[in-house]
């Protein structure tokens, strides 16, 4: 059976309840929400409401209507950036960003938005001081990742959010690698815009995501169209969440996302975090003992998510990934991980790294098999045999 260690890209497998919820919704509900007064449509609308309520409970938010469903974290981040910024605004971001945030910000900078890049350190951490120093009286937004998808560095979002609140600066947090794996209290962290995908640590399917919008933040919709309500006007409704949810939503996918959130609630985020960090510790210690392997961000005492990157002297990461898949049936991620600026920051550009990311369903045996495979690859035995 294959060993899957690429949960930072997409969690797999999903809890059985996720598959069951999607199948049941597609078969038994199967219609559009907010598009009719008949029972099936009302059932679909109820699924959306209950999914929002589950998200609000998980992230300690009192008003579930502040959660907007999207098709991905990428859409959520584009909505946040393009819906907020205007020419003349100043934005602070970091060099550790995934392209899903870096590209919309770069695009904004081509249309009159001033953009400042704060560098992460060699392990991918961004300091509070460096963010604060980059903020000016013209700063409208600080947009940054919570957890690096390359090194797993978990940034001090609560401390940054507290300072930004005092200064009246909007705080956008990309929680793609932390939501579901790290305990998060959005109001406590003073986060104004919070984006995450459904298909990673939230255990939902691909094609789902969400954006939390604080009450004080006014965004323009990314797109407009039919919402099922307010149909007398040519302008979109002002009320949330309908203002930002034009078109027919992925109701089966959102049912699966709700089941994923409920799975997290039943296990407890702290329990999930403990399991993933236990496996990560095993990975760090095991890889660090192999000659020729360089592990990034090995300080396990610092806050981090369940993501680990490494290189092997003289071996291209793509060859390692290919060999792990072909000869050992182990799935990992190699390359630049859609974060070229992060790899420039930590010194692994342009080849990138091998990334390993265990999940809640990963086991100690999975890790041991992976470490045994890496010992063989690093020693050159596998390459010699194949050549």
């Amino acid at each position: 059976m294959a060993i899957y260690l690429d949960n930072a890209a997409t969690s797999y497998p999903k809890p059985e309840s996720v598959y069951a919820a999607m199948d049941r919704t597609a078969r038994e509900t199967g219609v559009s929400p907010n598009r009719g007064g008949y029972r099936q449509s009302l059932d679909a609308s109820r699924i959306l409401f209950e999914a929002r309520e589950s998200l609000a409970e998980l992230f300690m938010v009192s008003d579930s209507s502040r959660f907007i469903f999207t098709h991905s974290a990428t859409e959520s981040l584009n909505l946040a950036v393009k819906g907020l910024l205007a020419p003349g605004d100043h934005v602070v971001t970091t060099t550790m960003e995934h392209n899903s945030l870096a590209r919309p910000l770069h695009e904004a900078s081509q249309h009159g938005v001033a953009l400042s890049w704060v560098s992460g350190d060699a392990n991918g951490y961004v300091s509070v001081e460096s963010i604060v120093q980059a903020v000016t009286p013209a700063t409208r937004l600080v947009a940054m990742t919570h957890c690096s998808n390359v090194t797993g560095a978990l940034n001090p979002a609560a401390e940054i959010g507290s300072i930004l609140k005092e200064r009246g600066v909007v705080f956008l947090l990309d929680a793609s690698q932390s939501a579901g794996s790290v305990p998060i209290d959005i109001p406590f962290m003073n986060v104004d815009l919070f984006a995450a995908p459904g298909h990673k640590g939230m255990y939902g399917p691909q094609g789902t995501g969400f954006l939390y919008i604080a009450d004080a933040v006014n965004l323009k919709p990314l797109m407009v169209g039919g919402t099922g309500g307010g149909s007398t006007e040519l302008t979109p409704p002002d009320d949330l969440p309908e203002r930002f949810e034009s078109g027919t939503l992925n109701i089966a996918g959102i049912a699966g996302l709700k089941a994923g959130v409920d799975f997290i609630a039943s296990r407890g985020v702290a329990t999930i975090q403990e399991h993933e960090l236990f496996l990560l510790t095993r990975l760090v210690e095991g890889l660090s003992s192999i000659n020729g392997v360089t592990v990034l961000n090995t300080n396990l005492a610092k806050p981090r998510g369940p993501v680990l990157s490494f290189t092997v002297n003289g071996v291209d990461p793509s060859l390692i990934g290919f060999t792990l898949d072909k000869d050992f049936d182990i799935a990992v991620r190699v390359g630049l991980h859609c974060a070229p600026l992060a790899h420039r920051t930590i010194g692994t550009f342009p080849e990138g790294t091998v990334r390993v990311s265990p999940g809640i369903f990963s086991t100690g045996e999975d890790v041991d098999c992976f470490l045994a495979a890496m010992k063989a690859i690093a020693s050159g035995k596998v390459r010699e045999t194949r050549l």
Side-chain angles (χ1 to χ4, degrees):
M1 183 177 180
I3 294 174
Y4 184 80
L5 293 172
D6 192 22
N7 289 276
T10 294
S11 58
Y12 180 83
K14 309 296 183 185
E16 282 299 319
S17 57
V18 172
Y19 301 125
M22 294 176 65
D23 183 74
R24 182 173 60 252
T25 301
R27 292 177 185 275
E28 298 178 7
T29 304
V31 302
S32 299
N34 305 324
R35 298 299 195 276
Y38 50 90
R39 281 174 293 178
Q40 276 179 276
S41 183
L42 294 176
D43 286 343
S45 299
R46 189 175 299 111
I47 288 170
L48 293 183
F49 174 75
E50 292 176 351
R52 283 188 233 278
E53 288 285 289
S54 291
L55 286 172
E57 184 175 356
L58 180 66
F59 296 116
M60 308 297 181
V61 172
S62 59
D63 182 0
S64 67
S65 71
R66 312 306 305 185
F67 285 93
I68 309 303
F69 288 120
T70 64
H71 90 275
S72 63
T74 298
E75 182 183 344
S76 298
L77 291 166
N78 272 267
L79 170 57
V81 170
K82 297 177 180 181
L84 179 72
L85 298 177
D89 288 339
H90 175 243
V91 181
V92 175
T93 190
T94 86
T95 61
M96 296 306 298
E97 304 311 314
H98 188 280
N99 279 338
S100 59
L101 179 56
R103 285 178 172 171
L105 289 173
H106 174 72
E107 183 179 70
S109 74
Q110 306 302 299
H111 296 88
V113 172
L115 184 58
S116 297
W117 297 90
V118 172
S119 181
D121 65 18
N123 291 318
Y125 289 94
V126 180
S127 71
V128 177
E129 295 76 17
S130 63
I131 293 291
V132 172
Q133 289 173 6
V135 172
T136 73
T139 303
R140 180 80 185 280
L141 175 70
V142 170
M144 64 181 293
T145 185
H146 191 197
C147 177
S148 168
N149 74 312
V150 177
T151 70
L154 189 67
N155 290 309
E159 191 173 352
I160 293 170
S162 178
I163 295 170
L164 295 180
K165 182 179 180 181
E166 294 176 357
R167 300 194 177 196
V169 177
V170 178
F171 187 23
L172 165 59
L173 193 66
D174 176 4
S176 294
Q177 296 299 335
S178 58
S181 292
V182 176
I184 292 173
D185 183 327
I186 290 177
F188 174 77
M189 296 165 69
N190 291 298
V191 175
D192 301 296
L193 296 163
F194 179 89
H199 66 96
K200 298 189 182 188
M202 303 300 290
Y203 301 104
Q206 294 99 326
T208 60
F210 57 90
L211 176 69
Y212 163 80
I213 306 173
D215 183 58
V217 179
N218 184 27
L219 299 182
K220 295 178 296 184
L222 188 63
M223 63 179 184
V224 295
T227 60
S231 298
T232 60
E233 304 295 331
L234 287 176
T235 56
D238 291 329
D239 295 337
L240 269 62
E242 289 84 3
R243 179 171 175 78
F244 300 102
E245 290 183 349
S246 293
T248 301
L249 292 173
N250 177 7
I251 186 66
I254 293 170
L257 172 58
K258 180 190 182 302
V261 176
D262 292 344
F263 170 82
I264 294 168
S266 68
R267 289 291 183 98
V269 179
T271 300
I272 294 172
Q273 181 183 39
E274 181 181 11
H275 174 74
E276 292 177 343
L277 291 183
F278 167 75
L279 296 178
L280 193 79
T281 299
R282 202 158 169 168
L283 283 164
V284 169
E285 293 173 349
L287 286 169
S288 298
S289 70
I290 301 174
N291 289 334
V293 174
T294 300
V295 183
L296 301 167
N297 192 19
T298 59
N299 187 350
L300 295 168
K302 295 193 71 173
R304 64 178 303 151
V307 179
L308 179 69
S309 276
F310 68 92
T311 59
V312 178
N313 292 345
V315 186
D316 191 284
S318 62
L319 178 58
I320 295 172
F322 173 80
T323 304
L324 285 169
D325 180 43
K326 178 178 180 294
D327 295 347
F328 300 97
D329 210 9
I330 298 174
V332 298
R333 176 79 182 275
V334 301
L336 296 176
H337 313 102
C338 299
L341 294 179
H343 281 278
R344 288 183 185 275
T345 300
I346 64 176
T348 51
F349 187 89
E351 291 83 5
T353 60
V354 180
R355 187 184 71 185
V356 190
S357 49
I360 189 61
F361 297 116
S362 303
T363 66
E365 183 180 358
D366 291 339
V367 169
D368 290 343
C369 289
F370 167 76
L371 292 172
M374 282 311 307
K375 287 179 182 178
I377 292 172
S379 70
K381 292 179 180 178
V382 173
R383 284 173 284 148
E384 290 170 4
T385 299
R386 187 166 57 249
L387 294 175

